Amino acid sequence: MFKTMIKIRCKNCNTELESHPTRTKCCGCDNLTTLKGETITALDLTFVELLSNMGKKETKKILSNEDLAFQESRKNRKVRKLEFEIK
């Protein structure tokens, strides 16, 4: 489900674009600022101004606090090298 709405302005031609989940919107100037969903493309992104980023992405908490602590302690483990005899 599309919940985030982005509104940008092309500084090259002062065209404002609003995002749509399926439609591609383009300003049509030499910079070719294009907006599709949450993706912003342009030849030079310095000419693109983000006006608003309304909405929030829904994040589901998959791991509990205990699981996160276990993963952090596991990440800090050291790798043990095994030595083999070669005959």
Side-chain angles (χ1 to χ4, degrees):
M1 180 111 194
F2 186 74
K3 295 194 184 246
T4 305
M5 188 169 104
I6 299 172
K7 191 172 185 180
I8 62 171
R9 176 186 297 134
C10 177
K11 293 180 184 177
N12 202 15
C13 63
N14 288 328
T15 303
E16 292 186 5
L17 303 171
E18 286 189 21
S19 63
H20 190 271
T22 57
R23 293 186 185 152
T24 302
K25 297 190 178 185
C26 185
C27 70
C29 69
D30 294 336
N31 194 29
L32 292 175
T33 303
T34 307
L35 181 62
K36 181 177 182 181
E38 297 178 355
T39 306
I40 302 169
T41 58
L43 293 176
D44 189 0
L45 286 174
T46 59
F47 289 116
V48 177
E49 179 182 4
L50 184 63
L51 297 177
S52 65
N53 189 2
M54 295 182 283
K56 297 179 181 176
K57 285 189 176 183
E58 293 181 8
T59 56
K60 294 181 181 178
K61 192 170 182 179
I62 298 172
L63 297 175
S64 67
N65 291 337
E66 296 168 352
D67 293 334
L68 289 173
F70 173 74
Q71 291 295 333
E72 286 294 321
S73 67
R74 186 177 172 151
K75 184 171 69 172
N76 294 330
R77 290 183 187 171
K78 294 184 180 179
V79 177
R80 185 175 53 168
K81 294 183 180 180
L82 299 176
E83 295 180 13
F84 297 100
E85 286 185 28
I86 299 174
K87 292 184 178 181

